Structure formats: structure tokens, C-alpha cells
Amino acid sequence: GISLQRQHIRATDGAASAIDSTKPFAYKLFGTWGFSPSPRYWRKFLNLDFKKINPEVPGLITTEWFKAKKKGTVWNQFWIWFCEQNSLYTLHWNAPDGKAMATNWRQRGQLPSQDATPDDPIFSTADWSTTLERPAKVITTYGWDAQPDGKSVPPAPSPPPTRRSESTSVAQQSTPSLGVGPAKSEGNGPASTESADVLSEMTAEERNRMARTNLTASKRDFSALIKAAQKTTQGRFLYLQLLNTGFLKFTRSWICNVRNMPNVLVRTLFICTDQAAYDGLKSFGEANGIQLNLHLELYETQAVLTYGHFDYYMFMLFRASLMLALVESHVSFILTESDATWFRDVNDYLETKVNPNIDMLTLNDDFRYKTSLNGGFLWFKPTPTTVALLQHVNSVLSATLAKFKVNSILGQAGNEQFMFQEYIKDRSKSSNPVNIAYLDAERFSPGQWYRMPYRTRGLAPYVVLNNWLKGMDAKINRAASWGQWFLQSDDVTCKEVNAPKVFTAGDLVVSMARMDEVLKMAAGLEQSTVMLLVVDNAFLQQALNWLCGVRKIQSVLDRLLVVCKDETSLTALRAFQGNSGIKFALTSLIQQRFGARVLVTTIIMHRLLREGLDVLVVRPSATWFDDPVPALQAASQDRHIVSVAYANNDYRKPSEQLTLVKSSPTTIELVDRAIIFGKKQYIFKYKLTMSGAFEAAIRSLETDPDIDMPVDVELLPVTVAPSTGKLSRPAGASLPLLVWRKDGITSSANTLTPDKTMCKP
């Protein structure tokens, strides 16, 4: 970024600096007064989880100042730390005569604690000289010690690259994984694929030789790879995995995971970057009777790469140039990784459920956001747009690497996923934007899924990445603890049992295929408001009685969606439909192990809200005299929720008896949190109520410092729905829309025949 402040201290000890004051210069220490950060890096900075960062930079006076202050009040040091991690500088200009473009009046406040004189006199228009209008051709850069560090801007030109010889290829048939792939995330930032400073494993001469060889990656001949890919894809898309020896074990486990899925291995091309990885996969396939599509594309690197280091990003450049060659040759491919668990063959879903006109499809790397690109499941279609995108990333990444020494630690500076996202954002308002789609995070989940709050949505995923975790050993241990490690202890034999564990004990399981059927049936109602009634065997009699009570209210039946959560209730309701002649939408979400009815209702509500439908949850312990939706919609206006008041009129606790939830980003977030709170109640055997879960969710939103989503709730007076079995309404009031009974079905309210198969006349 740039700063208008006069920079005159040395960051190492706070002494006065001797930086030339007549020319613009780039200094590692930024100035807070008149500071304008680069939007590109400021966005990344704001996405950090500051609670997890120790921003102390050894050897800087600012670190000592930070330690001495109340840490929550000082943001400067976090930016200094970020600049150090990403090798960033700030552009300064020290005006003549000790003046500055911006100054601090230093009036009493938090900093400083008492009044003082202005820091510098202001540079005015009278001080301007036409000599200042001639910019310097080279900007000198200064390190923390306020001494030139030799990294002038622009840098000296790089020597011309040399071509590399063509690699060899071998093709057989089948399967998966990504060796040293894109960075994995931990919290808000990527985590290294491995731990330890592995650069020390190679001598400086070896690293330089490797870098000179690999810098020519964008110029190498990929014709053999393209031929192997075209043979594997057979006119459709293929799965693509890169690996070296360091990722061989994970790749073998993934092959065992998907070996019984008929459309996966046959469409997967493994690109091995060293001979040992190629030989290891070839022998593994032969030993287990599995055909694999293998290709050897030699690339000199260490077995283990560390995220953020120069050689890691060199591998990313190699991968980006390889991907560019494929899309330029009209190959459609999905870049996948072997440190993932697949619970089903996803070919049919990808080919039938995904918009065919997209340029890119990616897994969303963060449950909290809708557009967080992940390189672990990334589909590139061969379009002019994706060609231009990959050309851009190759160019930017090459130029970035040319500025650093071979053994440098770049931090985020070379992160190609950021380059993808920035290009996509820049093109979003152009006449030719990148048409990118994001997979549903509940079907294709990032590693956050392993954490309880994110897994409690209750939907069984298709694919789960083993990211958001640092270190190969940690990933293997987590996979094994979840029953998602498919290799025997000899590392060469597949386990006989090939069913990965989806949920731990107590987790709620909802089939995504059955949920899709529920959503399809809801859409078929062609109503903007859906009445949702979830029935289990315990609630069956009340549900049948309620259905008899509303059989003459056609608008209720038109809006009604009945979802059964066990075989008994489904069989009984089908028979009831046939006997009574009452027509309503009926489906099921039957699972072997299932959670409480209230929790299932909330999960279905969440999905319906995401489809843009308003939801009225039906409590069948009530008697309905009319369709309440028109009155509720009229009362809702622009509010998020309309409910009836309890005796204490607490807006945070909508009644379970009558609550209309309107579809909006706020209510989607609210119900998502209600699911999490409801799940905790269910696991710990607390009394599970929808009103209790909603109350906790509303309070959570109100007190969340990171989100601004006030919930607007309208509570209707009790005259609309009395809280007792008596019609305790004001004199002259009309008959209420409904009344509920606290003691179950009374004889006067029972509308079922004794055999409970038909309605009374």
C-alpha cells in the first residue's frame, strides 16, 4: 500500500532512520497516518483469524510496544506481522524540509495519553515543485533496519528459460489422488501440507539446480500427457490427481476407498511426478487386481513440500502449466485429491445436476461462506474463459516467483487460489465473466465437516476433504479414527470392509437423496408457503386426527407437505390417504438410525428456506378452524418470523404451535444455528424443543460480534391462538384461527374413527 505519513524511524530499535527524503521509497514498516493498503492484500488480512495469531516479529521495536500495550487495542502489529509473512512493502515519500503529506495532531486520547505538538508540519501546495512530477524509474526498497535490502522495484530481468525434454508416459486403467496439491486450510488461512523445514534436506546447489530445471515448466512439452488424458476421458470429463512418493500411501488408501465405484477409477488419471511413485502405484494395482490409468511426468522435487516455500510454489506453477495445456487441448477434467473420502460415485450427480454451461465448478472450502474456492475438487471445462484464466495465473505466478530467491519463504504471495479468485472477481462485471458454480458444502464438504458444529446439519455427504488440518500424520490419524483409512497395516493391501463411517454415535443421519425427494415434492406444491408436518409413530394419532380436522380447508391441503420418519407412520398414512380420500403431499426420510422429530423438522425447514420457500411448521395437537397463512403473511410485512406470544411475550422464543418463518439470509443463518443448538440438546439428552433451539439461535445472532443480522420477530396476541384449551378471547372477538390442547386429544376434539383409519362424518 501507500502511506502519506513521514517515515523517520528505524523499525529495529525506534531510532531515527537515514532514508533519503527526496525520492519515493518502499519500506517494510508502514505508516498508519494517511495509510491506504492494497485492496488485494487487505481483503486477505481481514479474513485472518486474529485470535489464533501471535503477531510478534522478533527484532522489531514495534513488537516491544505491542507487548506493553493492551493487545486488543493495537491492530498495527498484526499488519506488520502480515507484511513480514508476505514480504510486503509500503510506498513512502518524505517531503523536503521535514514536512509530510499527512500528520498526527497528537491530541490527547488513547494514543497519546496527553496533548502534544503535531508530529510534522504539513506539506502544502506552496511547497510543490514541478521536479516532483517526474517519478523515479526504480524504487529502492528498505528492510526493517532502514537500510537498502537489494530488492529494487522493478527487479532486474530474469535470464531466458531453456526447454526441457519430453517426459515418458505409461497408461493402464483406473484411480486417484493428489500428491503435493494446493494448500489446506486451518481456520481462515491455508496450512502446510507437511511440517518441518524440509529445505534443509537439500543442499543449496541441489535446490538451485532443481529450480533452474523447474522454472521451465511453462515451456515444457505436455503432448504425451495430453494423449494419455484424451485416452482416459473418452469424450467426457476425467478425474485428475498429481502425486509424488510423499503422497503414495494416501493415494493407495483412496484407491481402496473408491475401487468398488464403477465410474471412478476408470475415469481417473494419475500423474506421477517421480519414478518411485509411478512404480509404487503400478505394483499396488497389480497386487490388488485394480487397473489404473498412470502417466509419468517427471518433475524434480522433494518428497515432501512445505506450504509457502519457494519450491512448493514452483510445484504449483508446474501444475498450473499442466492444467493450461489440458484445457488448450479441449480436455475437461476435475482436479481431485487423495486425502479425501468418497461416500458414493458422484458421476451421475455431476453430469445431471450441474449447469452444463459453466466454465468452472469448485468445492466450497468454508461452510461459513458461499464462494470460497478450493483446489481439492475443481472442475475446469475447456472454454476460452478457462484458457484465459489459466494463462493469467501462469503469468502472474511466474512473475511472482521471479522476484524471489530459490530458498525464499513466500507465505501467501504465491497462493494460486487467491490468483484464481481475484481474476474471477475482476472479471465478474465484465462482458465475459468467469461462469463459476460452487458445490453444495453439505454434499461436497471441506475438512470443517469433522468438527461437530459443521456436521450437525445432519446430511450424509458425497465427498469430504481431509483438509483444515496440518501434517500428513495428523490427517492419516484422523482418517483412521473415522474408519476412513482403507489400507491394511502393510500399506499394500486394501481392507475388506469398504464402507466409510459417516457419523459418530449420536449423530443424526439424513440421506441426501431422500432430502432431494422432499425438496422436489415441495416444489411440486407450487406454493410460496409450505406447511411442514413431520410425523413419527409417536405422533401418528395426533397427525391423523389433525388431518381429519382440516380436510375441508382446501388451501391447507394445497400447502401441506407431510414427511414420515419411520416405516410405521408412512404405511399408516398411505392407508389413511386411500381410505379417507384426503389428498396431500406425502413422502419420507426413513433412515436406520434417526434423530428426534423436532430436530428433523428443523433440518428440513433449513433446506426449504434455502430453496426460497416460506415455512409454517404444523403442530398437530391443535384444532384448526381456518387456514392461518393469509393472516400470518399479512402480519409479517417485512419481518423474518411471525409467531404467537407466550405468557411472557419473549420475542426470542417463538411458539412451537404456530410459527411462520420467511425465507431470507437472516432466517437461513438463524435456522442453521437452531439446528446446532437442537443437536446439542439431542446429544446430551436435554428436553428438545423447537422454541428452545430458536431462542438460543436468536440470542446467538444478537451477541455475535462478527455478524450483523438482527432478527425481526412479530408476536401475535394470544386471542389468535389461546394457550389453553379454552377460547379465552376478548368479548366480541371472532372465532380464533386455531386452538391447541395441552393434554393431547380430548374426546370432543377426536375426529378419527375407532380403528383410526378414517375420519368421522
Side-chain angles (χ1 to χ4, degrees):
I2 65 172
S3 176
L4 303 183
Q5 175 182 344
R6 183 179 182 86
Q7 190 56 273
H8 44 53
I9 71 165
R10 190 164 57 200
T12 51
D13 56 10
S17 71
I19 297 177
D20 187 348
S21 64
T22 61
K23 298 177 181 177
F25 59 93
Y27 186 23
K28 277 202 167 185
L29 184 63
F30 82 110
T32 57
W33 313 330
F35 176 54
S36 177
S38 161
R40 171 186 176 187
Y41 288 105
W42 191 251
R43 284 192 294 268
K44 296 175 185 177
F45 177 68
L46 294 181
N47 285 330
L48 296 174
D49 187 347
F50 297 103
K51 295 178 181 178
K52 297 181 179 180
I53 293 173
N54 176 9
E56 296 175 6
V57 180
L60 298 189
I61 188 64
T62 59
T63 297
E64 302 307 315
W65 295 342
F66 174 75
K67 292 177 181 179
K69 295 293 182 182
K70 184 180 178 182
K71 295 187 177 182
T73 67
V74 181
W75 68 272
N76 318 36
Q77 185 63 28
F78 286 91
W79 179 254
I80 290 171
W81 172 88
F82 182 78
C83 291
E84 172 67 5
Q85 295 295 311
N86 294 278
S87 300
L88 301 181
Y89 295 78
T90 299
L91 186 66
H92 294 271
W93 176 61
N94 287 347
D97 302 322
K99 296 183 178 181
M101 300 287 283
T103 193
N104 186 343
W105 293 110
R106 297 205 292 179
Q107 294 175 321
R108 183 171 55 186
Q110 187 177 57
L111 292 172
S113 59
Q114 58 185 8
D115 289 335
T117 58
D119 192 73
D120 297 299
I122 284 292
F123 183 85
S124 67
T125 53
D127 299 313
W128 189 257
S129 169
T130 56
T131 60
L132 301 175
E133 298 175 7
R134 295 193 290 272
K137 294 182 179 180
V138 176
I139 301 296
T140 302
T141 56
Y142 291 82
W144 297 115
D145 58 359
Q147 296 298 317
D149 58 9
K151 298 178 181 179
S152 60
V153 182
S158 302
T162 57
R163 289 184 64 84
R164 175 172 180 156
S165 60
E166 178 179 336
S167 64
T168 60
S169 72
V170 180
Q172 285 180 303
Q173 278 241 24
S174 183
T175 236
S177 206
L178 170 59
V180 186
K184 302 300 190 182
S185 299
E186 173 58 46
N188 288 322
S192 64
T193 54
E194 296 303 325
S195 59
D197 185 5
V198 295
L199 285 176
S200 60
E201 298 174 7
M202 302 180 70
T203 66
E205 181 181 352
E206 289 173 329
R207 288 197 299 270
N208 284 317
R209 178 181 56 79
M210 182 183 71
R212 285 195 298 271
T213 301
N214 294 336
L215 273 171
T216 64
S218 60
K219 301 296 183 180
R220 67 190 293 163
D221 185 354
F222 288 111
S223 58
L225 168 63
I226 292 167
K227 184 177 180 180
Q230 290 172 336
K231 180 179 179 180
T232 305
T233 185
Q234 298 178 350
R236 304 166 77 183
F237 71 81
L238 62 83
Y239 299 110
L240 195 68
Q241 292 200 21
L242 276 73
L243 71 142
N244 63 4
T245 307
F247 232 70
L248 183 59
K249 187 185 295 187
F250 244 123
T251 303
R252 288 176 171 179
S253 178
W254 187 86
I255 292 171
C256 294
N257 172 201
V258 301
R259 70 188 189 277
N260 294 326
M261 299 179 187
N263 299 311
V264 178
L265 292 180
V266 71
R267 295 173 66 172
T268 302
L269 177 63
F270 296 94
I271 303 175
C272 305
T273 61
D274 57 59
Q275 190 68 49
Y278 178 86
D279 293 341
L281 272 193
K282 185 174 183 292
S283 61
F284 175 77
E286 292 170 349
N288 289 276
I290 304 173
Q291 284 190 309
L292 303 175
N293 300 312
L294 305 178
H295 175 78
L296 180 62
E297 190 70 37
L298 290 175
Y299 178 88
E300 295 183 65
T301 187
Q302 302 170 84
V304 175
L305 299 178
T306 301
Y307 173 78
H309 285 229
F310 183 88
D311 50 353
Y312 175 90
Y313 287 126
M314 283 302 309
F315 187 85
M316 293 300 100
L317 176 61
F318 163 73
R319 189 177 74 164
S321 60
L322 179 154
M323 292 157 58
L324 174 59
L326 288 174
V327 296
E328 287 180 333
S329 301
H330 309 289
V331 175
S332 179
F333 64 90
I334 298 178
L335 190 65
T336 62
E337 295 192 351
S338 62
D339 60 342
T341 300
W342 289 37
F343 298 93
R344 58 168 285 179
D345 188 334
V346 297
N347 282 274
D348 289 343
Y349 177 84
L350 294 173
E351 292 184 330
T352 60
K353 301 294 186 181
V354 175
N355 182 350
N357 299 319
I358 60 171
D359 298 308
M360 292 174 62
L361 178 71
T362 180
L363 183 148
N364 185 4
D365 195 42
D366 197 324
F367 275 110
R368 297 166 296 180
Y369 310 107
K370 296 181 179 179
T371 57
S372 181
L373 185 145
N374 178 282
F377 200 96
L378 187 57
W379 188 353
F380 285 92
K381 293 195 173 184
T383 68
T385 303
T386 55
V387 170
L389 168 63
L390 286 167
Q391 286 175 340
H392 169 80
V393 170
N394 271 270
S395 175
V396 173
L397 187 51
S398 296
T400 300
L401 290 171
K403 299 176 183 178
F404 291 89
K405 297 178 181 179
V406 172
N407 60 349
S408 299
I409 300 176
L410 283 67
Q412 300 274 35
N415 191 317
E416 83 287 359
Q417 291 179 201
F418 288 159
M419 297 174 189
F420 281 128
Q421 290 177 311
E422 287 166 6
Y423 181 87
I424 292 168
K425 183 175 182 179
D426 290 343
R427 296 292 298 273
S428 62
K429 297 181 180 180
S430 70
S431 59
N432 185 29
V434 179
N435 190 356
I436 184 171
Y438 292 84
L439 289 163
D440 185 345
E442 290 170 341
R443 286 184 172 92
F444 297 81
S445 302
Q448 290 173 322
W449 178 87
Y450 290 98
R451 302 176 183 179
M452 176 60 75
Y454 298 104
R455 201 173 61 257
T456 52
R457 276 75 175 172
L459 300 169
Y462 297 168
V463 174
V464 174
L465 297 188
N466 194 356
N467 65 343
W468 287 78
L469 184 67
K470 296 180 180 181
M472 182 76 75
D473 291 340
K475 292 183 180 184
I476 292 176
N477 290 337
R478 180 164 72 178
S481 68
W482 279 83
Q484 297 170 6
W485 188 253
F486 307 99
L487 270 181
Q488 299 279 14
S489 58
D490 60 6
D491 293 337
V492 295
T493 309
C494 292
K495 291 181 179 179
E496 291 298 324
V497 179
N498 188 25
K501 183 168 61 176
V502 183
F503 292 87
T504 56
D507 274 331
L508 178 66
V509 180
V510 180
S511 162
M512 183 63 77
R514 296 302 310 152
M515 183 64 78
D516 287 343
E517 181 63 27
V518 171
L519 298 180
K520 180 179 179 181
M521 190 160 286
L525 296 176
E526 298 183 349
Q527 299 284 336
S528 60
T529 302
V530 172
M531 293 181 178
L532 176 62
L533 172 59
V534 176
V535 181
D536 57 15
N537 188 43
F539 238 54
L540 179 59
Q541 184 177 350
Q542 287 191 9
L544 295 175
N545 184 69
W546 179 84
L547 285 165
C548 289
V550 299
R551 68 186 185 275
K552 299 293 185 181
I553 311 175
Q554 188 59 46
S555 61
V556 170
L557 299 178
D558 291 342
R559 305 180 199 272
L560 182 62
L561 175 63
V562 181
V563 181
C564 299
K565 62 177 291 289
D566 55 51
E567 288 283 1
T568 302
S569 58
L570 178 63
T571 301
L573 277 163
R574 283 176 175 168
F576 176 78
Q577 272 191 320
N579 294 332
S580 66
I582 303 175
K583 295 181 179 180
F584 53 88
L586 175 64
T587 186
S588 67
L589 267 180
I590 297 171
Q591 291 295 121
Q592 184 177 1
R593 184 176 76 254
F594 216 25
R597 180 188 57 80
V598 169
L599 186 54
V600 175
T601 300
T602 314
I603 290 172
I604 298 173
M605 179 196 298
H606 185 247
R607 299 296 298 188
L608 293 173
L609 292 172
R610 287 175 54 173
E611 297 296 318
L613 297 170
D614 298 344
V615 181
L616 175 64
V617 176
V618 172
R619 177 86 174 194
S621 59
T623 298
W624 288 33
F625 300 101
D626 201 350
D627 181 355
V629 169
L632 292 173
Q633 289 286 14
S636 69
Q637 298 179 4
D638 295 328
R639 293 175 171 83
H640 299 119
I641 296 175
V642 182
S643 184
V644 296
Y646 274 110
N648 60 5
N649 290 326
D650 186 351
Y651 76 91
R652 299 180 188 87
K653 197 169 185 178
S655 167
E656 294 183 45
Q657 305 294 340
L658 187 69
T659 296
L660 173 67
V661 183
K662 306 194 73 176
S663 178
S664 71
T666 298
T667 53
I668 291 171
E669 174 69 21
L670 174 71
V671 176
D672 192 29
R673 295 185 182 211
I675 293 171
I676 294 174
F677 287 110
K679 183 61 187 295
K680 290 178 180 177
Q681 290 176 309
Y682 176 63
I683 291 173
F684 295 108
K685 310 300 182 184
Y686 300 144
K687 182 181 179 182
L688 179 59
T689 64
M690 188 176 298
S691 60
F694 267 69
E695 179 184 18
I698 292 174
R699 291 186 186 277
S700 171
L701 277 179
E702 287 178 337
T703 57
D704 191 333
D706 298 324
I707 194 168
D708 183 18
M709 281 189 171
V711 183
D712 194 348
V713 180
E714 172 73 7
L715 294 182
L716 301 177
V718 293
T719 52
V720 176
S723 58
T724 68
K726 299 179 180 179
L727 303 184
S728 55
R729 59 189 186 279
S734 60
L735 187 70
L737 295 174
L738 72 159
V739 57
W740 67 81
R741 302 168 299 280
K742 289 187 175 182
D743 54 353
I745 300 175
T746 62
S747 57
S748 62
N750 191 358
T751 58
L752 279 173
T753 56
D755 61 4
K756 300 181 178 60
T757 60
M758 295 183 64
C759 301
K760 290 180 179 178

